[in-house]
Amino acid sequence: MLVMKFGGTSVGSPEAMKQAASVVGKMKSRYEKVIVVTSAMAGVTNRLIAAAKAAESGDLSTYQEAQKELLALHMSVVEKLITDEYEQATLAQWFKDRLDELGRLCQSIAVLGELTPRGLDVVSGLGERMSAPLLAGVLRSMDIDAKQVDATRLIVTDNSFGNASPIMDTTCEKCRQVLVPMLESGTVPVVTGFIGATKEGIPTTLGRGGSDYSASVIGACLDADEIQIWTDVNGVMTANPSVVPGARTLPRLSFTEAAELAYFGAKVLHPKTMLPAVEKEIPVRVLNTFDPDGPNTLISKDGATDGSVKAITAIKDMSLINVEGKGMIGVPGIAARTFGTVAKHGISVLMISQASSEQSICFVIPSESGRLAVKALEEEFARELARRQIDRVEIMENVVVVAVVGAGMRGTPGIAARLFGALGEHGLNVIAIAQGSSEANISLVVTKEDADETVRRIHEAFDLSGTESGVSATSANRI
Ligand code: ADP
Ligand code: ASP
Ligand code: MG
């Protein structure tokens, strides 16, 4: 059994949707049982979120514009790819209903003058609730028996709106109940990615880019043979190809390496995608919808042990916080209190730098939490600040964490010398360094201005465009 997930660009236009459907057709002839998970059409989720935010500030014209444009966008696919009149009319009505729902939601948001995370989840999930029935319709028009399934019926989550986590046992039970009978009768379920619902039925989302996670949750529940992530690039590459033009497809990665890359900003995979797959040891393959027979990446338990540095990623919009003071040395528990305070406010820490002395504690958090963290720490350490045991709680905004990833890195001598040599040679300043969250990662903090150049120079220093550390693109996997 195969789970195939299509990203926003892969269903973003009539041509893309047709291509995605033909890839499903091809896989259906190879695997008897196929489940499709789809994202919203490219740009739709952003439009929905913008409409809700505008409504919060009393602007109602943004949602009205969005209603018109989103109807036209979805109908353009119907008009180009679906000829059956009944299907056309049913889909048109479905889109109108969803967009009316958008209107009602935005009006209530405007009246209240408040957009809650719970309200935002209802709005932002509407994109998938339009793309899934549309893709199912396109598949039927190609004589593939397909039926849309709303994931609020399958994926049961906690109530962390905007970033919900699936409750696996209940989710798996529902997946079996709903999807297995469909698969047995030869139907392709087309499931909405990104969304779920609490056990009380309140809609939630799994975080931006969360459709990848939806696919791996469903794949793990049903013991899929493989989870395929179909996107707009040839798999996971040595760096973001839009930053490093010479980036190359990585044919094989371990679960740890892929998780590390995703966590540190390789947008091609949602950071939590690997979690359900690892547990069941289900291979995850990342492929290009627009080059289905081209190079792709297979992520599995073993990955590949060849090479040392495999890939470079960057995660933007970060803040570096520094708690500093000469008097800190003798005071016990400063580190525990620092991270305790940050945790109490639900702020996640991406990296902690190993300072050479005890005079400072330095860590990186997402920018949006920067000010909150400083305020909370100043309150926590009010007494130490007054006594000058701590001199200051500093913040450096707009920094970028560059992560160098590769499972074989630790055992290979000279990596750090090569890395810092390359940066020094080009005058790139490293603000902080840390061994990442696993052995497969070294992370550096640099300024926003230096970020892309740093990624390119490290890519070059380890010859990642060449063949030194891996397999060339021509000998990469084929499916
Ligand atoms: P989808 O809509 O299919 O989920 P995303 O836009 O979420 O696609 O992710 C694919 C994009 O991720 C690529 O177009 C590329 O710009 C970006 N990306 C960042 N880092 C990497 C990487 N290491 N390998 C491949 N793509 C990457
Ligand atoms: N449509 C959602 C988003 O834009 C989920 C996804 O694309 O995976 O974040
Ligand atoms: Mg994505």
Side-chain angles (χ1 to χ4, degrees):
M1 195 252 294
L2 180 66
V3 177
M4 308 175 76
K5 175 262 169 176
F6 290 92
T9 339
S10 301
V11 294
S13 65
E15 298 69 33
M17 188 88 65
K18 189 173 174 192
Q19 175 66 14
S22 85
V23 171
V24 175
K26 194 166 138 190
M27 287 299 159
K28 181 80 172 82
S29 61
R30 236 181 264 180
Y31 288 78
E32 206 186 317
K33 295 176 180 168
V34 173
I35 297 172
V36 170
V37 175
T38 185
S39 292
M41 293 180 77
V44 171
T45 313
N46 286 348
R47 285 300 295 269
L48 293 166
I49 294 172
K53 291 199 167 150
E56 185 185 25
S57 58
D59 160 10
L60 294 176
S61 61
T62 305
Y63 92 73
Q64 287 162 349
E65 274 300 303
Q67 280 178 316
K68 276 186 230 143
E69 284 176 27
L70 295 183
L71 182 62
L73 174 69
H74 290 83
M75 285 309 291
S76 72
V77 180
V78 173
E79 279 148 21
K80 290 227 170 85
L81 303 181
I82 296 175
T83 47
D84 183 287
E85 280 177 22
Y86 177 75
E87 284 265 15
Q88 285 181 345
T90 316
L91 282 166
Q93 190 56 49
W94 177 271
F95 301 144
K96 284 189 190 121
D97 290 346
R98 298 291 74 73
L99 293 165
D100 282 347
E101 210 176 319
L102 171 67
R104 283 194 303 277
L105 288 161
C106 287
Q107 276 166 8
S108 337
I109 293 165
V111 170
L112 294 171
E114 190 192 5
L115 175 59
T116 59
R118 175 173 163 171
L120 184 60
D121 272 2
V122 184
V123 175
S124 59
L126 285 169
E128 275 71 10
R129 294 177 61 211
M130 294 193 280
S131 63
L134 179 55
L135 180 55
V138 171
L139 287 167
R140 284 192 297 270
S141 77
M142 294 166 72
D143 286 329
I144 298 165
D145 182 15
K147 204 169 162 217
Q148 68 140 322
V149 178
D150 192 313
T152 52
R153 290 174 61 201
L154 302 178
I155 298 188
V156 183
T157 71
D158 62 14
N159 62 0
S160 304
F161 298 103
N163 193 23
S165 294
I167 299 162
M168 286 305 275
D169 48 357
T170 350
T171 298
C172 290
E173 208 178 293
K174 297 214 176 207
C175 284
R176 282 190 291 270
Q177 270 167 14
V178 176
L179 300 176
V180 170
M182 292 174 78
L183 292 170
E184 274 168 1
S185 65
T187 304
V188 175
V190 181
V191 184
T192 53
F194 185 47
I195 63 176
T198 64
K199 64 179 191 309
E200 293 80 19
I202 303 161
T204 54
T205 65
L206 308 183
R208 293 306 307 270
S211 303
D212 302 331
Y213 191 22
S214 310
S216 69
V217 165
I218 294 168
C221 282
L222 299 183
D223 280 313
D225 295 301
E226 190 166 288
I227 297 158
Q228 295 185 342
I229 307 292
W230 289 86
T231 183
D232 56 359
V233 288
N234 283 92
V236 183
M237 310 185 80
T238 49
N240 184 348
S242 53
V243 175
V244 183
R248 185 177 55 80
T249 298
L250 290 158
R252 290 183 71 90
L253 281 175
S254 69
F255 284 128
T256 315
E257 289 170 326
E260 217 47 70
L261 284 170
Y263 185 69
F264 283 95
K267 189 180 164 227
V268 64
L269 286 168
H270 182 274
K272 293 187 194 157
T273 313
M274 248 54 67
L275 293 174
V278 173
E279 231 162 84
K280 292 277 179 81
E281 294 184 9
I282 301 173
V284 177
R285 197 187 287 273
V286 184
L287 313 96
N288 189 345
T289 305
F290 308 100
D291 183 16
D293 300 318
N296 61 70
T297 302
L298 181 63
I299 303 162
S300 62
K301 184 168 167 260
D302 308 320
T305 47
D306 61 320
S308 54
V309 170
K310 282 222 177 130
I312 329 289
T313 52
I315 182 159
K316 301 198 166 148
D317 297 323
M318 295 290 135
S319 287
L320 183 76
I321 309 280
N322 197 20
V323 181
E324 202 181 309
K326 290 193 181 50
M328 269 167 62
I329 300 175
V331 186
I334 297 266
R337 280 168 65 199
T338 301
F339 295 112
T341 303
V342 172
K344 202 165 71 198
H345 287 82
I347 302 168
S348 60
V349 175
L350 261 97
M351 67 173 254
I352 301 170
S353 180
Q354 295 162 327
S356 54
S357 77
E358 272 188 62
Q359 290 176 15
S360 75
I361 297 172
C362 160
F363 58 96
V364 177
I365 58 175
S367 271
E368 72 258 19
S369 312
R371 294 279 152 199
L372 171 66
V374 172
K375 191 167 161 276
L377 288 168
E378 282 172 350
E379 280 167 18
E380 172 68 29
F381 292 121
R383 199 190 312 174
E384 285 79 2
L385 284 161
R387 290 182 186 160
R388 312 283 305 155
Q389 286 169 316
I390 290 177
D391 292 331
R392 64 189 78 83
V393 179
E394 266 179 341
I395 179 164
M396 185 168 184
E397 286 177 298
N398 269 322
V399 297
V400 173
V401 176
V402 173
V404 182
V405 174
M409 216 160 56
R410 270 291 183 88
T412 314
I415 300 274
R418 201 156 156 191
L419 181 63
F420 296 109
L423 300 181
E425 207 177 292
H426 294 95
L428 293 160
N429 183 36
V430 177
I431 303 163
I433 307 162
Q435 195 81 55
S437 50
S438 83
E439 301 222 335
N441 178 328
I442 296 174
S443 311
L444 322 170
V445 178
V446 297
T447 62
K448 186 171 131 201
E449 292 69 32
D450 281 351
D452 287 352
E453 181 71 1
T454 301
V455 171
R456 282 193 284 267
R457 291 300 178 191
I458 301 174
H459 199 269
E460 187 182 84
F462 289 94
D463 193 23
L464 296 183
S465 301
T467 54
E468 187 192 313
S469 63
V471 189
S472 71
T474 48
S475 61
N477 314 315
R478 306 283 172 189
I479 48 159

